[in-house]
Amino acid sequence: MKLSGDLRDFEARIGHAFADPALLVRAVTHASMSSANRDDNQRLEFLGDRVLGLVMAEALLALDPKATEGQLAPRFNALVRKETCADVAREVDLGKVLKLGRSEMISGGRRKQALLGDGIEAVIAAVYLDGGFEAAKRLVLRLWGDRTQAVDEDARDAKTALQEWAQARKLPPPAYVEVSRSGPDHAPVFTIAAQLENGAEAQATAPSKRRAEQAAAASLLAELEKS
């Protein structure tokens, strides 16, 4: 199988030339384009998620030999979560080479966080199957770059930190309320309010509910720390 020019360029961007090009084609094929004669990338995404996890676990252990499991877990989660995977996918312009069905194309699939995150995990699996674990490890460490070293010592996400703040003061968990939603269906914008029972509240706006909730929690935490 010969790769298209776009896929050859993508190989160069990720730094891996495939011995079996069909693996790369499968890795960038979304379920909306699958058929009896064309496999999609869902099974590869499942495998790639596990390969990414192992690489990151090894890297974090090597970087901080004295860290406890409680310290390592939030750092690990920050590095493998879907938002991080999607950011990496954007950096190598994975969206440009994704093979999508018409409905996904129309709805802006090349920019969707879930599709990009799943896609980069599928690419990791394809490299693993093509070149083995060491090749996949080199790919992940190259693409994640300084993220592994720059991840915060306390990498708890803002929602977790806010919940722990509330629990320490014997308050119920924070509530997250959708204040508004705007924009087209393929590119919605959410405004979310993070609220505590004591009346404290902060709002944030982002292209996904999860990101808006995290941003609202971070904003509320910052306000609480000032008081």
Side-chain angles (χ1 to χ4, degrees):
M1 173 184 287
K2 289 187 177 180
L3 293 174
S4 65
D6 282 348
L7 283 177
R8 287 198 302 272
D9 290 344
F10 182 73
E11 277 189 318
R13 290 198 296 277
I14 65 172
H16 180 85
F18 280 81
D20 181 0
L23 284 168
L24 177 57
V25 173
R26 180 179 167 195
V28 299
T29 301
H30 183 256
S32 60
M33 273 290 286
S34 64
S35 67
N37 299 317
R38 190 201 306 260
D39 291 329
D40 62 49
N41 64 7
Q42 289 181 317
R43 288 171 62 86
L44 287 178
E45 181 268 327
F46 173 82
L47 176 60
D49 177 65
R50 277 70 187 169
V51 176
L52 172 62
L54 179 55
V55 172
M56 283 304 160
E58 277 193 353
L60 289 172
L61 286 171
L63 283 168
D64 192 348
K66 296 182 179 180
T68 65
E69 188 277 340
Q71 293 171 316
L72 291 168
R75 301 177 200 174
F76 175 86
N77 291 335
L79 290 168
V80 302
R81 64 190 178 193
K82 197 66 69 179
E83 292 92 339
T84 303
C85 291
D87 286 343
V88 171
R90 293 186 188 97
E91 289 174 2
V92 295
D93 203 6
L94 173 60
K96 181 179 180 180
V97 298
L98 285 178
K99 297 182 181 298
L100 305 173
R102 185 172 181 274
S103 61
E104 282 294 349
M105 289 278 288
I106 293 172
S107 65
R110 297 190 188 282
R111 300 186 301 274
K112 288 182 179 178
Q113 178 174 279
L115 267 66
L116 290 171
D118 290 348
I120 201 66
E121 289 176 342
V123 169
I124 292 168
V127 171
Y128 168 76
L129 293 174
D130 190 67
F133 179 72
E134 289 303 318
K137 181 178 179 178
R138 288 193 297 271
L139 173 82
V140 169
L141 294 179
R142 182 167 57 249
L143 296 188
W144 262 248
D146 293 338
R147 287 179 176 87
T148 51
Q149 295 179 324
V151 66
D152 292 340
E153 184 173 341
D154 180 5
R156 294 171 303 168
D157 63 76
K159 288 180 67 176
T160 298
L162 181 59
Q163 181 165 328
E164 290 176 356
W165 187 96
Q167 288 175 338
R169 290 154 182 82
K170 302 190 184 305
L171 293 171
Y176 295 91
V177 179
E178 183 178 319
V179 176
S180 66
R181 172 176 172 160
S182 59
D185 289 342
H186 70 273
V189 176
F190 298 90
T191 297
I192 300 290
Q195 301 172 341
L196 291 173
E197 191 182 63
N198 64 3
E201 177 180 322
Q203 295 185 10
T205 300
S208 73
K209 283 187 177 181
R210 178 186 173 90
R211 290 173 64 181
E213 289 174 354
Q214 290 286 356
S219 179
L220 182 49
L221 276 170
E223 291 299 319
L224 293 170
E225 289 172 358
K226 294 177 185 177
S227 60

